[in-house]
Amino acid sequence: MALSDVKTDGSWIKTYDEKGKHISTMSSSGKNVVGIGSDFFVCEEGSWIKTYDEKCKHIATMSSSGKTVRVAAGQTFTCKEGSWLKTYDKNCKHQNTRSA
């Protein structure tokens, strides 16, 4: 299922499909949505970066120490880490590194 939007609505995070139909809801407590890919989204939660699927099911977690999520697109998201841009997949596995 394609994920087209993720919205924070009060104390809830809501996901929507490509037709604008509501898919799922989860609490937004302590979470900040920082990127949306084609079938996952990324949240910063305290000292962690966590990925979730369109049904708000947790996929993976990694430390946010020294990292700032810049963008999510397709099947990956990119973090700025010092003078580097590092790309990760939705499982938080490193894919690529390039100079910032």
Side-chain angles (χ1 to χ4, degrees):
M1 181 182 317
L3 182 62
S4 70
D5 199 10
V6 179
K7 294 181 183 178
T8 301
D9 183 13
S11 59
W12 302 103
I13 294 172
K14 298 180 179 182
T15 60
Y16 298 87
D17 69 12
E18 65 279 358
K19 295 180 181 176
K21 182 181 175 191
H22 175 254
I23 302 169
S24 191
T25 302
M26 71 182 205
S27 170
S28 65
S29 179
K31 299 174 183 75
N32 183 31
V33 177
V34 292
I36 304 168
S38 60
D39 63 351
F40 75 103
F41 63 99
V42 184
C43 290
E44 289 181 343
E45 300 179 39
S47 60
W48 302 103
I49 296 170
K50 297 185 178 184
T51 57
Y52 295 90
D53 70 11
E54 67 277 356
K55 294 181 181 175
C56 298
K57 181 181 173 196
H58 176 254
I59 301 171
T61 301
M62 69 183 199
S63 170
S64 65
S65 179
K67 300 176 182 78
T68 303
V69 177
R70 297 293 296 262
V71 67
Q75 297 291 313
T76 63
F77 65 99
T78 302
C79 294
K80 185 169 189 323
E81 299 179 40
S83 59
W84 301 101
L85 293 174
K86 295 188 177 183
T87 303
Y88 297 89
D89 68 13
K90 65 184 173 184
N91 296 303
C92 296
K93 294 194 192 277
H94 179 254
Q95 302 294 305
N96 188 21
T97 300
R98 66 182 187 278
S99 178

